[in-house]
Amino acid sequence: MTLNADQPQETISRHIYGHFAEHLGRGVYDGLWTRDESGNTTIREDVAEALREIKIPNLRWPGGCFADYYFWKDGIGPREERPSIVNVLWGGVTEDNSVGTHEFLELVDVLDTEPIIVGNVGSGTVQEMAQWWEYVNHPGPSPMADWRKENGREDPWNVRYWGVGNESWGCGGHMRPEFYADQYRRFATFLHGYPNVRPFRIAAGAAGGDYNWTEVLMREAGDYMDGLDLHHYTIIGSWETEKGHATDFTEAEWFELLESTYQWEELLDGHIEIMDRYDPEKRIWLIIGEWGTWHEPEEGSTPGFLYQQQTLRDALSASTSLDIFHRYLDRVKMANIAQTVNVLQAMILTEGDQMILTPTYHVFDFYTVHHDATYLDFALDGGEYRFGNESLPAVTATASRNSEGRVHITLTNLDPNSARTIEIEVNGENVTGVSGRILSAGEINAHNTFEQPDTVSPAEFTGASVSDGNLTVELPAKSLVVLELSP
Ligand code: AHR
């Protein structure tokens, strides 16, 4: 590896480490909040504390598909007067609306993060969405601001990130891109800036490799958007029949999932090439509003709740994805892994009063060093991880310099069988020492359980040394390492 510490690139937006919380399964109720029989909700302080540790920069809510079924007025005012609905999308359970706008924005304050609200285009009206925007953002007097004040909140929250529908090609209305582009223009028109906040308007982007969606949206509605929200999940197996299993898999499936993770390169190349043609100034953010691994639900759980375990494989898929996102920093400014607690590739799993951290949580912890840091140029050849007749780049990395001038390197070795020695020639930086942490485990399917919560957890890393200002890193098989260089 050659690290050119004297060749700073773009800033790594902290918003790339964003999160997503949908009214789905045990993500909201029994995840971020507990709820008693009267519908009173309490933010789980243990969960909040863990999320503050990894400095989550934003939280997207209320969906997902749920967003296009959600009527925000159901979720404000006295709890006992809020109507119950059926969450037809996710398990057909009763949604009593006890977490609504006030509760979500209170959580945002507790987490010291920024909200992203996704409005309802699929089954809602322009008036409803415009009134929601007014309710949370107008300082008053105004009809909606006055109502907010009656409900106990004097000051506006100044929510600037605003999604105009979700997956409008699918659960958000099965629209054609031409139709959605017109709907988007219409809905976005009525989100007005106020002196305290201007809207950052996010259009529903493509599913995976649907480049035509991006082409039409950019052509017909690009002038009216600030962000375009691409969604793509990493799966093996099939959406229609059966996806892969979260914890019971072979090396072939380890390889396959990581190979699928590399699809991000092709997807980002494709969508960004189109965006660059319509927006050469790169004004519009490509937002990866939903990403992560998606497996078959955990045995015994309600299938519609999307509860899955996670292993070291998911963690290394996450670090590889983040490394790829960083390579497109001039366009990719925000991303939201799905979903924060108890759903898909979560940071945290809960069971009653207990809580465990997933392997992916530790990746997000390691990568806090890159939040708003300057990406540094490097060249890396860590060899190939071969399986059968196929191969992948074995090692992936990110290097950055933070606001205090400290250089950090994260290195992932995807090869489950072989360690790698990485010699790092450091240009433009005086290095006298190095310290680090490692995430690894004995087995490819190692994971944390309520009985054994620390099977995959960080440890001090002693495999790096400095000689003549350059580094040698003994990177164990199937591991992620974060290094801090001392000047
Ligand atoms: O994250 C689960 C679901 O996946 C979301 O609701 C939807 O937007 C996507 O298809």
Side-chain angles (χ1 to χ4, degrees):
M1 180 173 181
T2 306
L3 171 64
N4 298 312
D6 50 356
Q7 290 183 33
Q9 315 279 306
E10 297 267 334
T11 299
I12 305 177
S13 163
R14 70 182 183 288
H15 284 295
I16 287 176
Y17 308 96
H19 293 264
F20 169 35
E22 178 168 10
H23 287 240
L24 192 178
R26 298 192 301 113
V28 165
Y29 305 110
D30 209 18
L32 290 159
W33 286 266
T34 54
R35 175 174 51 177
D36 69 18
E37 277 163 12
S38 323
N40 296 313
T41 53
T42 313
I43 294 170
R44 276 189 73 138
E45 190 39 47
D46 54 348
V47 170
E49 175 67 37
L51 294 174
R52 278 194 299 266
E53 279 289 311
I54 56 170
K55 302 186 170 82
I56 77 166
N58 62 58
L59 189 59
R60 178 175 182 260
W61 175 85
C65 293
F66 185 76
D68 283 292
Y69 285 74
Y70 185 61
F71 293 95
W72 69 273
K73 290 178 188 170
D74 290 351
I76 59 164
R79 289 212 174 90
E80 56 287 1
E81 291 170 22
R82 298 185 191 180
S84 287
I85 61 161
V86 179
N87 190 337
V88 287
L89 290 161
W90 304 119
V93 295
T94 300
E95 163 63 61
D96 69 1
N97 281 300
S98 50
V99 164
T101 302
H102 288 250
E103 290 76 18
F104 168 65
L105 291 166
E106 184 197 344
L107 175 71
V108 163
D109 280 347
V110 167
L111 296 178
D112 194 18
T113 190
E114 273 202 76
I116 303 170
I117 285 184
V118 183
N120 180 348
V121 170
S123 65
T125 63
V126 173
Q127 186 189 37
E128 274 153 4
M129 190 189 288
Q131 287 183 333
W132 198 6
W133 168 264
E134 181 188 328
Y135 186 90
V136 297
N137 286 330
H138 201 287
S142 91
M144 292 299 118
D146 294 349
W147 195 16
R148 179 189 71 231
K149 292 176 192 197
E150 275 167 37
N151 286 329
R153 171 78 186 196
E154 184 62 29
D155 296 329
W157 285 281
N158 300 335
V159 178
R160 59 189 175 127
Y161 296 117
W162 203 272
V164 179
N166 170 77
E167 298 193 353
S168 304
W169 40 263
C171 60
H174 289 110
M175 302 179 203
R176 293 176 305 112
E178 293 79 5
F179 181 76
Y180 173 69
D182 282 346
Q183 291 299 314
Y184 173 81
R185 291 165 60 129
R186 194 168 146 248
F187 276 74
T189 301
F190 296 90
L191 301 174
H192 288 288
Y194 304 135
N196 46 317
V197 62
R198 77 164 273 276
F200 187 97
R201 293 171 297 192
I202 302 170
D210 182 357
Y211 300 114
N212 182 50
W213 184 274
T214 300
E215 179 85 38
V216 175
L217 261 285
M218 288 299 296
R219 188 181 68 224
E220 304 298 340
D223 287 349
Y224 306 90
M225 69 176 79
D226 301 294
L228 185 60
D229 177 13
L230 170 69
H231 290 184
H232 170 69
Y233 287 93
T234 299
I235 72 155
I236 59 173
S238 126
W239 286 107
E240 289 75 31
T241 51
E242 207 177 326
K243 300 176 204 72
H245 196 275
T247 54
D248 184 13
F249 55 83
T250 60
E251 187 182 338
E253 289 160 313
W254 164 282
F255 182 89
E256 201 184 333
L257 190 95
L258 297 169
E259 187 180 43
S260 307
T261 304
Y262 273 104
Q263 273 178 11
W264 275 117
E265 292 177 336
E266 184 190 323
L267 291 174
L268 294 178
D269 281 340
H271 289 290
I272 289 172
E273 184 272 318
I274 299 165
M275 292 182 79
D276 285 351
R277 268 194 280 117
Y278 291 98
D279 174 33
E281 307 296 320
K282 296 187 184 281
R283 181 186 63 79
I284 302 172
W285 292 10
L286 179 57
I287 295 172
I288 302 170
E290 289 185 30
W291 69 277
T293 54
W294 191 324
H295 306 294
E296 279 296 299
E298 202 59 15
E299 218 170 291
S301 68
T302 307
F305 283 10
L306 310 185
Y307 177 79
Q308 67 187 38
Q309 252 294 359
Q310 274 178 58
T311 65
L312 184 61
R313 180 179 61 160
D314 299 274
L316 302 192
S317 172
S319 59
T320 303
S321 303
L322 290 165
D323 289 343
I324 295 172
F325 300 167
H326 296 161
R327 283 192 242 135
Y328 298 85
L329 282 173
D330 55 355
R331 184 65 83 176
V332 176
K333 305 280 188 188
M334 182 183 266
N336 308 84
I337 190 166
Q339 299 188 6
T340 320
V341 187
N342 290 332
V343 178
L344 299 176
Q345 194 169 358
M347 303 295 113
I348 292 169
L349 303 179
T350 66
E351 215 173 76
D353 290 346
Q354 285 182 283
M355 174 196 104
I356 57 173
L357 305 176
T358 65
T360 304
Y361 175 93
H362 298 301
V363 176
F364 275 71
D365 180 26
F366 280 22
Y367 276 65
T368 55
V369 297
H370 297 313
H371 286 208
D372 285 338
T374 305
Y375 190 79
L376 298 176
D377 178 72
F378 64 88
L380 168 67
D381 179 1
E384 292 187 335
Y385 162 34
R386 293 198 156 276
F387 186 79
N389 296 326
E390 294 186 279
S391 67
L392 293 175
V395 182
T396 142
T398 292
S400 70
R401 186 190 295 281
N402 71 11
S403 57
E404 285 148 21
R406 281 297 173 112
V407 173
H408 294 97
I409 308 171
T410 43
L411 286 160
T412 299
N413 181 6
L414 299 175
D415 190 331
N417 305 311
S418 307
R420 293 280 191 291
T421 301
I422 310 290
E423 305 280 358
I424 308 181
E425 181 192 328
V426 184
N427 298 323
E429 179 77 7
N430 185 34
V431 186
T432 61
V434 59
S435 59
R437 288 193 294 160
I438 182 167
L439 188 71
S440 189
E443 306 298 327
I444 55 174
N445 65 346
H447 56 281
N448 298 334
T449 63
F450 290 89
E451 294 71 38
Q452 292 186 307
D454 297 321
T455 306
V456 188
S457 60
E460 190 192 351
F461 180 63
T462 53
S465 56
V466 181
S467 166
D468 292 335
N470 295 319
L471 295 165
T472 303
V473 184
E474 301 295 345
L475 193 59
K478 53 175 169 10
S479 68
L480 165 67
V481 159
V482 57
L483 301 174
E484 178 169 289
L485 313 192
S486 311

